[in-house]
Amino acid sequence: MLARISRTLLLFLLTFAFLAAPFAPTQSQAATTASAHALIRQPVRAEHGMVASAERIASQVGIDVLKRGGNAVDAAIATAFALAVTYPSAGNLGGGGFMMIRLRDGRTTAIDYREMAPSAATRNIFQDEKGNLIQGEGSSLIGYRAAGVPGTVAGMELAFKKYGSGKLSWAELIEPARKLAAEGFPIYGYLARNLVKKKDQFAPYEDSRKIFLNDGKFYQEGEVLRQPELAATLRRLQKNGAREFYEGETARLIAADMKQHNGLITMEDLRGYVAKERVPVRTTYRGYEVITMPPSSSGGVILIEMLNILEGYNLHEMGWSSADRYHLMAEAMRRAYADRAEYLGDADFANVPVAGLIDKNYAARQRSTINMTHASTSAEVRAGHPVGAESSETTHFSIVDAEGNAVANTYTLNESFGSKVVAKGTGFLLNDEMDDFAAKPGTPNYYGLIQGERNAVAPHKRPLSAMTPTFVLRKDGTLWFAIGSPGGSTIINTVLQVITNIIDYEMNIQQAIDAPRIHHQWMPDELAYEPYGLSTDTLHLLEARGHKVYVRPNAGWTTGEGYMGNAQGIMLEEKTGTRLGASDPRGDGAAIGY
Ligand code: DON
């Protein structure tokens, strides 16, 4: 009885503390605001392996591979191919991405399979003769010219050859996807709605219209989507290996369709595509090692810069929902994204001062420019001066296998359904990743990101990404959690907030993903928050400090109106090693374990 009363009292106090948090944050409130989220959901628990992805069938495909003795890398390859069938807005063969791998012995690597610009893609290709950005067909966003040379198949092959278990063949890993394409799967609500939303954009492209609009008849939720051309492409990949995509029949189909429609990608471009293994970037945050993606993604470098800045403050004591925390987060984001605009690009082409940007002394200098009571303006916050600087609908999945090998993989077509073009006869969509370049340096791209010369278009260059697949280790050096998200420019901030929710506020992985997010990207100078994500009182406190706060309307690249990202994470429970899987409530995904 006493226990029940005190539990009721505790619940009352917790609720009160949560509601009152913005007014007077104290140390005990920091704990209680975190606890308030504990009332939401527990992660999915499993003893051996876990796959958290944005689509349930694809998660199950990964689990089946693990059960058959495949390792996390094998499961990642099978999941990636399955998502290309069941999650066509972002899962892909015609796009690219980044895979972080951490083997059970502690070796960690990063596979960069980002698209490359075709050789005919020169600096001003997306500008008209007056220097204005081209709109519609011919632009960096829609149609044939928007596509970079896809990297996904090469990336999967590199991962398979170097890090696969060898227990399952390449063809076996592709088979579940081929079967799903050939036999079909029931269209789920999100996909049905999303396809209708894009009808006008698909309409000009014959194969896209046929496959994704059912020739104008549209699909109802529950109807079976069969993709015979895609099944045939997957069959060729099974038989002939990844080179089929870059030199075989698939390459010929892409190049022929490109030629006919004034596109840029040639057979030679396809033959020249290379996935690259890179050295991950690392930092420690309050003693925990963070290992993440280097360029050609900006994700890891900018994440680390923000973590390094925030490490100098006691976020825990401020309280999760305090105006102080939001203020600091926004100021760290503002500074790091200003650096992104200036310094980041494909490091194979531009001088990117990675070491300077992730240096803790640089973060200390950045910190000294932050005023606790006044927001900076983005106009006055220009890029900082890191050492070494010279002038001048994505989807994530995380996998952990029974041995403790882990994969964090984010890949994409860029916008939902990419360029909207299915290359004739291939059955798959091509990306519109060329828009991630600065099509006109200094002018915002689709995500409103201003980007600089280092990210200007050039032949064979990789457009700058924000994708941030990341591992965080425990202080004893073992894997703690894997995390990543889609969301365009918001990706890095989503990963940042999940990490700090866990480390500073002791949230479990599911709570940390569920908790409302904010976003600042330097320009435009606004602090965005999710619907219902910020109390009105806190909003006023932030405005009083000079922040331009705004509730996001439908952002267009997330699954929910105005929400940010669709994170998928897996944590290993301390002592037991139980796999804790968490899929973002902002999407339709699933963490499945065994
Ligand atoms: O690489 C990037 O940063 C973007 N192409 C990601 C696009 C994205 O996240 C869209 N999905 N929600």
Side-chain angles (χ1 to χ4, degrees), residues 9 14 42 55 66 138 153 161 167 243 246 248 293 311 341 383 400 447 479 487 498 507 527:
L9 190 66
L14 282 178
Q42 290 298 318
E55 196 282 314
L66 293 181
V153 176
K161 289 200 164 148
K167 289 185 188 146
R243 290 324 293 168
Y246 297 98
M293 194 69 213
E311 196 178 38
V400 176
Y447 301 102
L479 180 67
V498 173
M507 293 189 195
L527 170 50

Side-chain angles (χ1 to χ4, degrees), residues 189-456:
Y190 162 71
L191 180 55
R193 286 192 299 278
N194 217 2
L195 288 172
V196 173
K197 214 157 76 183
K198 299 284 184 239
K199 64 179 190 314
D200 295 340
Q201 294 175 31
F202 280 131
Y205 308 110
E206 192 185 333
D207 276 26
S208 312
R209 193 170 58 234
K210 186 175 77 188
I211 300 167
F212 294 112
L213 301 182
N214 196 12
D215 250 338
K217 296 191 285 291
F218 303 114
Y219 296 101
Q220 301 300 318
E221 189 174 343
E223 232 177 297
V224 171
L225 175 62
R226 286 190 190 84
Q227 302 174 76
E229 293 91 351
L230 179 56
T233 296
L234 290 164
R235 173 66 90 203
R236 289 195 302 275
L237 291 179
Q238 285 179 305
K239 257 177 67 188
N240 306 330
R243 290 324 293 168
E244 150 64 32
F245 190 95
Y246 297 98
E247 293 175 34
E249 175 66 8
T250 311
R252 271 191 294 281
L253 287 167
I254 298 173
D257 206 30
M258 281 281 162
K259 196 161 176 201
Q260 204 183 341
H261 293 94
N262 211 15
L264 302 179
I265 299 177
T266 62
M267 279 299 275
E268 209 185 333
D269 288 323
L270 287 156
R271 205 172 302 120
Y273 183 84
V274 269
K276 291 193 175 174
E277 201 169 350
R278 312 238 185 230
V279 179
V281 282
R282 296 167 184 256
T283 193
T284 53
Y285 182 67
R286 306 196 199 284
Y288 297 98
E289 190 165 13
V290 177
I291 309 176
T292 180
M293 194 69 213
S296 56
S297 182
S298 63
V301 171
I302 298 308
L303 171 69
I304 289 178
E305 181 177 344
M306 294 191 289
L307 286 169
N308 287 345
I309 293 173
L310 292 170
E311 196 178 38
Y313 303 92
N314 192 336
L315 295 183
H316 181 84
E317 220 164 70
M318 283 169 198
W320 186 86
S321 51
S322 68
D324 279 352
R325 171 181 162 276
Y326 290 118
H327 175 75
L328 276 176
M329 285 265 166
E331 294 301 315
M333 291 169 180
R334 185 198 309 277
R335 283 160 180 74
Y337 273 72
D339 281 347
R340 182 191 191 278
E342 176 68 28
Y343 296 119
L344 270 292
D346 181 351
D348 291 346
F349 283 72
N351 168 26
V352 181
V354 172
L357 288 165
I358 65 175
D359 184 70
K360 295 234 185 208
N361 294 320
Y362 176 58
R365 288 205 299 284
Q366 291 280 56
R367 232 172 3 246
S368 69
T369 67
I370 296 178
N371 180 329
M372 263 329 274
T373 52
H374 289 288
S376 309
T377 62
S378 289
E380 81 198 9
V381 172
R382 291 289 160 186
H385 299 283
V387 176
E390 284 173 20
S391 48
S392 121
E393 201 174 76
T394 303
T395 191
H396 178 86
F397 57 79
S398 297
I399 301 183
V400 176
D401 66 22
E403 314 250 81
N405 304 299
V407 167
N409 184 92
T410 316
Y411 76 153
T412 189
L413 292 164
N414 189 26
E415 272 185 278
S416 196
F417 305 104
S419 64
K420 317 299 182 288
V421 174
V422 168
K424 193 155 184 50
T426 65
F428 60 81
L429 284 158
L430 293 167
N431 66 84
D432 65 337
E433 221 75 67
M434 295 300 280
D435 192 62
D436 276 350
F437 280 118
K440 184 176 176 187
T443 305
N445 74 353
Y446 178 71
Y447 301 102
L449 287 168
I450 307 247
Q451 317 192 80
E453 285 298 335
R454 284 175 172 85
N455 188 29

